């Protein structure tokens, strides 16, 4: 019989890959019989189900006038300790080192050594905050005091060890995909809804439009592509760079060919109408949307940075190009969009990669093994 645990999960509940991974992991663990307690400032946006074995505990932050800044990290620690004692948690699985691993450490001090901590690093906590000298020591502390640490790519594990000068063993556990949700399907209705003409190619980009995502590069690459291929660009997501992107689209005279869809829930349906997806980020520890596209049969052109080459095998299931090499991206895109045999081969291989290497069941089992190690240690 499989061992089941009581697990507290903490993540940033707003839109973002780490929140998606944490929530989908919690849901999958609950399906396997574990008791899952989300401890967070609000209900994670993907926690839209009324699932058995799942509980939510809201962290409330007091706004006393003496505090210039409300002490969220302390309220979180206090809530973690409270839930751990009340329901008898075996472990806390926190997503992001800061502040979550630090709050978990405090909770452990309050509850006792039997409460274990598993920390998963997703990227920004290391690749952005890790460079901030005022935070790097405390990030290292959070990592070293965790019982087990995982990162979402070999690249992120390696960067963490180097940047923070820590020898803590960090295990790679990749992002995963639920093939019950992400699979190829007919998209004629959506094509009609978004005024896409028969024969027109669809290029998709999905992100939170942060600067690191380099969405203006996607628009520039599209500008080159549409000179040779009849295509539309579908931009999904919102964020700080949206006004800059909108202006770039206007400046290049692409308003008719670009659809801005904002944040969307029906990602799988939208992805399935794509012929190609572009992710041209400057930093990307994994790139969950690459996997979502691949599972829907859409090959991706990504930048050769971070963990992207661990997912996209160049020329096999997509293409990787050096960061900023817009002409190269456009050349590869045109090659793919004008050669249906190549498109079919890459698409089939992308589905195989998602199904075989990043399947939910496989990756969830890896997390279970890490929990067991933490509890045995
Ligand atoms: O990409 C973002 O800006 C969101 C960020 C997050 O913290 O949610 O995503 C990070 O975690 C994802 C899940 O592990 C990864 O797939 C993304 O690659 C990673 N983002 C970056 O490294 C920039």
């Amino acid at each position: 019989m499989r061992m089941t645990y009581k697990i507290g999960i903490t993540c940033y509940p707003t839109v973002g890959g780490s929140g998606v991974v944490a929530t989908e992991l919690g849901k999958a663990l609950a399906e396997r019989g574990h008791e899952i307690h989300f401890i967070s400032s609000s209900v994670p946006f993907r926690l839209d189900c009324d699932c058995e074995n799942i509980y939510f505990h809201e962290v409330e932050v007091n706004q006393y006038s003496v505090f210039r800044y409300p002490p969220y990290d302390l309220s979180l620690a206090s809530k973690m300790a409270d839930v751990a004692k009340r329901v008898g948690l075996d472990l806390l699985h926190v997503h992001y080192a800061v502040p979550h691993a630090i709050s978990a450490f405090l909770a452990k001090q309050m509850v006792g050594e039997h409460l274990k901590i598993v920390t998963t690093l997703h990227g920004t906590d290391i690749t952005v905050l890790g460079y901030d000298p005022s935070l790097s020591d405390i990030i290292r502390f959070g990592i070293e005091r965790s019982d087990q640490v995982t990162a979402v790519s070999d690249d992120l594990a390696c960067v963490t060890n180097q940047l923070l000068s820590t020898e803590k063993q960090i295990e790679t556990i990749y992002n995963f995909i639920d093939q019950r949700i992400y699979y190829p399907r007919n998209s004629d209705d959506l094509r009609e809804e978004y005024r896409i003409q028969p024969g027109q190619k669809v290029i998709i980009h999905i992100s939170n439009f942060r600067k690191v995502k380099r969405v203006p590069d996607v628009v520039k690459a599209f500008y080159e592509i549409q000179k040779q291929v009849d295509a539309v660009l579908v931009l999904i997501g919102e964020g700080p760079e949206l006004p800059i992107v909108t202006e770039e689209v206007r400046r290049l005279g692409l308003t008719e060919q670009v659809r801005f869809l904002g944040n969307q829930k029906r990602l799988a349906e939208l992805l399935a109408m794509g012929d190609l997806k572009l992710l041209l980020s400057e930093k990307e520890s994994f790139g969950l949307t690459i996997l979502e596209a691949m599972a829907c049969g859409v090959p991706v052109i990504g930048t050769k940075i971070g963990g992207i080459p661990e997912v996209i095998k160049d020329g096999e299931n997509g293409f990787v190009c050096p960061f900023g090499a817009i002409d190269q991206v456009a050349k590869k895109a045109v090659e793919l969009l004008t050669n249906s045999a190549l498109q079919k081969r890459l698409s089939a291989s992308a589905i195989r990669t998602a199904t075989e290497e990043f399947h939910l069941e496989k990756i969830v089992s890896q997390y279970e093994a890490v929990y067991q190690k933490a509890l045995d240690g």
Side-chain angles (χ1 to χ4, degrees):
M1 212 179 81
R2 194 206 298 264
M3 293 284 289
T4 56
Y5 315 117
K6 291 186 180 182
I7 304 165
I9 294 184
T10 294
C11 63
Y12 286 114
T14 48
V15 182
S18 60
V20 173
V21 168
T23 312
E24 296 299 337
L25 174 62
K27 289 188 328 201
L29 288 165
E31 276 183 36
R32 288 180 173 212
H34 301 282
E35 189 176 301
I36 303 301
H37 294 264
F38 283 94
I39 307 170
S40 181
S41 55
S42 58
V43 180
F45 74 104
R46 281 275 186 106
L47 195 58
D48 45 10
C49 65
D50 221 352
C51 316
E52 210 182 322
N53 293 336
I54 294 188
Y55 303 85
F56 171 68
H57 309 270
E58 184 173 342
V59 180
E60 283 160 46
V61 185
N62 288 321
Q63 303 277 354
Y64 297 122
S65 54
V66 284
F67 293 137
R68 186 159 167 218
Y69 303 107
Y72 174 72
D73 315 352
L74 298 182
S75 300
L76 174 62
S78 170
K79 188 59 129 189
M80 284 170 161
D82 169 50
V83 175
K85 281 188 206 153
R86 224 165 1 98
V87 308
L89 290 183
D90 296 302
L91 58 94
L92 291 166
H93 185 176
V94 297
H95 295 260
Y96 265 89
V98 276
H100 301 158
I102 316 299
S103 301
F105 171 75
L106 284 175
K108 182 172 178 160
Q109 298 292 302
M110 293 163 76
V111 174
E113 280 298 308
H114 60 276
L115 179 66
K116 303 299 178 192
I117 303 172
V118 174
T119 297
T120 291
L121 306 173
H122 286 273
T124 308
D125 40 0
I126 303 305
T127 55
V128 178
L129 302 180
Y131 287 94
D132 181 341
S134 72
L135 287 176
S136 52
D137 279 356
I138 201 162
I139 298 174
R140 186 187 313 107
F141 178 82
I143 288 173
E144 290 183 345
R145 295 307 171 101
S146 299
D147 294 285
Q148 293 289 322
V149 180
T150 75
V152 297
S153 59
D154 288 341
D155 181 78
L156 181 59
C158 185
V159 168
T160 305
N161 285 133
Q162 280 170 6
L163 189 64
L164 297 177
S165 312
T166 175
E167 285 175 10
K168 181 82 180 176
Q169 202 191 331
I170 302 175
E171 188 166 326
T172 298
I173 303 190
Y174 291 121
N175 287 178
F176 57 88
I177 197 81
D178 187 343
Q179 254 114 16
R180 292 169 297 184
I181 301 169
Y182 292 90
Y183 55 87
R185 66 194 81 184
N186 181 291
S187 58
D188 290 350
D189 289 356
L190 277 180
R191 287 182 66 103
E192 208 180 313
E193 184 180 332
Y194 292 114
R195 294 174 290 111
I196 296 159
Q197 304 306 317
Q200 241 178 352
K201 300 292 181 187
V202 178
I203 300 171
I204 299 185
H205 169 82
I206 307 174
S207 74
N208 50 15
F209 284 57
R210 287 201 293 139
K211 202 160 195 276
V212 286
K213 301 294 174 179
R214 295 291 178 148
V215 192
D217 283 6
V218 171
V219 176
K220 287 187 190 115
F222 177 72
Y223 176 69
E224 297 303 325
I225 297 165
Q226 56 85 45
K227 288 179 185 167
Q228 297 179 63
V229 180
D230 184 14
V232 297
L233 174 64
V234 174
L235 295 173
I236 304 175
E238 279 180 359
E241 294 268 290
L242 185 57
I244 295 166
V245 175
T246 313
E247 174 51 27
E248 189 66 359
V249 167
R250 199 201 51 77
R251 191 183 69 83
L252 293 172
L254 296 172
T255 313
E256 272 303 300
Q257 289 132 285
V258 180
R259 312 278 187 275
F260 288 91
L261 268 51
N263 286 327
Q264 289 281 339
K265 280 207 161 171
R266 48 178 183 174
L267 278 188
E269 287 87 339
L270 290 165
L271 275 167
M273 71 176 179
D275 296 286
L276 167 68
K277 178 178 178 294
L278 296 179
L279 187 67
L280 306 181
S281 312
E282 183 181 355
K283 288 180 178 180
E284 201 67 69
S285 56
F286 183 92
L288 178 60
T289 62
I290 296 175
L291 206 51
E292 292 170 338
M294 279 180 161
C296 294
V298 183
V300 182
I301 300 181
T303 32
K304 210 187 281 180
I305 53 99
I308 292 181
E310 292 173 51
V311 193
I312 303 179
K313 300 285 167 249
D314 192 42
E316 217 178 273
N317 56 15
F319 290 113
V320 284
C321 295
F323 167 65
I326 291 164
D327 287 347
Q328 227 185 87
V329 171
K331 191 163 166 266
K332 292 282 178 198
V334 171
E335 196 182 323
L336 184 94
L337 296 170
T338 55
N339 179 343
S340 66
L342 176 67
Q343 155 85 31
K344 272 196 187 128
R345 179 169 67 77
L346 295 195
S347 166
S349 171
I351 296 171
R352 248 194 331 272
T353 302
T355 328
E356 288 167 14
E357 290 173 43
F358 303 99
H359 193 281
L360 172 134
E361 295 293 330
K362 175 177 169 177
I363 304 292
V364 173
S365 298
Q366 292 174 2
Y367 277 114
E368 282 180 323
V370 165
Y371 298 157
Q372 192 57 58
K373 264 195 250 172
L375 292 163
D376 289 346

